[in-house]
Amino acid sequence: MRPTALILTLALCLTGLVGAAHAQPAAEPVVPDTPGSGPYPALKEEVASLPDHVIYRPAKLDAIRPKQMGLYLFGNGACSDDGASSRMHLLEIASHGYVAIALGRIRTGPGVTQPMEPPGPRQTDAKGQPIFPPPPTSHKGLMWAMDWALAQNADPKSPYFGKLDPSAIAVSGFSCGGIQALRVAPDPRIKTVIVMNSGLFVPGTGPQHTEMSQPKSLLDQIKVPALYVLGGPTDIAHANGLDDFNRINHVPVAFADLKGVGHGGTYMQPNGGKAADAVVAWLNWQLRGDKEAAKAYVGANCGLCTDAAWELRKKKID
C-alpha cells in the first residue's frame, strides 16, 4: 500500500471512518492498465486545461458519434489526490463510451506524472485521537470537472466538441469519494449518483472531517436514482451505506452488496471486476435508457438478483 494511503487507512480504521483508497503494495510490479472490455478501448491522461484531474476516455474520439458519450465524475478513496488509484474501474467505464474524470494526478501505476509524497508525522489531540490533515481533494473538484467537460463539448476547437450528451451525467466515488459524490448529487445537471463502499455516518459516529462530516439530511436533497455498491458485512462502510438506503424512500434506489470483497471492492481487478460490470449496467440504463442493461436491476429475476455473488435490495425500481 502506498505510504500516505497506509497512514490514512490506519487513522481512519481507528475511528470507524470509511477507509482509504485500494492500492497494490509498493513492492509489487506495476500492473499494466487494462483498456476495458467495452467497444471503445480506453486510455487515461492529464490535460493542461483541467489541472489536478485525470481523464479516462475512449482512445479514438474520432470514432464517437455526436452526443454519444456520457460523463462519469469520480471521487477517490480517502478523498486522495491519486487519480489513478481506481484506474482499472475507470478505464472499464470509459471503454463503454463514457468520459470518466477522477480527482488528482497520476500518482501510481503506469505513466506517473507526480509521485506520492512521503507522509508527514501523525498528529493526535490531547485525548490521543488522530487529527486529520486537510483532505487533498474537495467535492468542488467534481463540479470543476463537470464544468470543464461541458465547456469542451461546446467548443468547436475541442476533440470533445458535440460528442458528450449533456443529459447523461453521473457522479460517483469510492469511500470518502462516495460522500463527495453525495454532496454534488443535488446539482440539477446530475442524472444519477453511484455511492461505492461508502455512506453517510450514522448520527453520533465518525470524527470531524472536512469532506465526510455530512448530515443524513443531505439524502433528502437527492432528486435522481441512486445506486449503492458495498462489499459485504466486512466492508467498513456497510452499516453507513445500508442506513442511507433505508432512509431513502423518495427516489429509486438500489443497494448492491458484492459478497466477501470488503471495503477494497474490485477497483483494481482487471477491467474493474464485478463492481464495474454492475456500474456499467446502471449507467447504461439510467443515462441511455438501455432496456437490456435495466435487466440487471429490474424484476424479481434480475441479473444481480440471481447472481450468487450479489445481494440486491431495491426501492421504486420494479
Side-chain angles (χ1 to χ4, degrees), residues 263-279:
H263 192 59
T266 64
Y267 300 96
M268 290 301 291
Q269 291 182 11
N271 299 322
K274 276 185 168 291
D277 292 341
V279 170

Side-chain angles (χ1 to χ4, degrees), residues 31-288:
V31 177
D33 289 344
T34 50
S37 67
Y40 306 101
L43 56 75
K44 71 179 190 293
E45 65 179 356
E46 296 177 4
V47 298
S49 57
L50 185 63
D52 299 318
H53 291 74
V54 181
I55 299 168
Y56 297 77
R57 62 167 177 84
K60 297 181 178 180
L61 289 175
D62 55 357
I64 302 296
R65 300 189 304 273
K67 298 186 70 174
Q68 185 178 359
M69 290 192 298
L71 180 62
Y72 182 75
L73 310 169
F74 192 81
N76 306 311
C79 290
S80 83
D81 57 355
D82 181 7
S85 57
S86 296
R87 56 192 168 88
M88 302 301 194
H89 174 84
L90 295 166
L91 286 162
E92 175 66 12
I93 302 301
S95 77
H96 289 270
Y98 292 90
V99 175
I101 305 178
L103 305 180
R105 304 288 304 276
I106 302 173
R107 293 183 176 272
T108 54
V112 169
T113 58
Q114 186 171 336
M116 301 294 290
E117 298 178 1
R122 184 181 168 205
Q123 298 182 343
T124 58
D125 61 20
K127 296 181 179 180
Q129 296 299 312
I131 298 174
F132 295 102
T137 64
S138 164
H139 65 283
K140 295 177 181 178
L142 298 172
M143 305 290 285
W144 300 335
M146 179 164 50
D147 291 342
W148 174 87
L150 292 175
Q152 292 291 308
N153 196 49
D155 183 357
K157 298 180 180 179
S158 169
Y160 294 96
F161 178 57
K163 295 184 181 294
L164 284 165
D165 181 354
S167 69
I169 301 177
V171 64
S172 180
F174 164 33
S175 192
C176 182
I179 297 180
Q180 290 181 319
L182 284 169
R183 296 185 69 177
V184 172
D187 187 290
R189 296 171 292 181
I190 301 293
K191 301 306 178 186
T192 189
V193 56
I194 301 171
V195 181
M196 304 190 69
N197 306 96
S198 186
L200 299 174
F201 285 103
V202 175
T205 68
Q208 293 298 312
H209 185 278
T210 304
E211 289 296 297
M212 302 182 76
S213 299
Q214 300 300 312
K216 289 286 187 177
S217 59
L218 180 62
L219 302 174
D220 297 332
Q221 300 179 40
I222 299 174
K223 306 301 181 185
V224 295
L227 170 65
Y228 280 73
V229 180
L230 277 295
T234 61
D235 186 339
I236 194 173
H238 193 269
N240 293 339
L242 184 56
D243 185 74
D244 281 10
F245 171 79
N246 289 334
R247 291 170 184 260
I248 297 173
N249 296 299
H250 60 291
V251 295
V253 58
F255 183 91
D257 216 5
L258 185 54
K259 301 174 186 177
V261 301
H263 192 59
T266 64
Y267 300 96
M268 290 301 291
Q269 291 182 11
N271 299 322
K274 276 185 168 291
D277 292 341
V279 170
V280 168
W282 181 269
L283 291 173
N284 287 346
W285 174 30
Q286 296 296 328
L287 301 183
R288 292 171 169 161

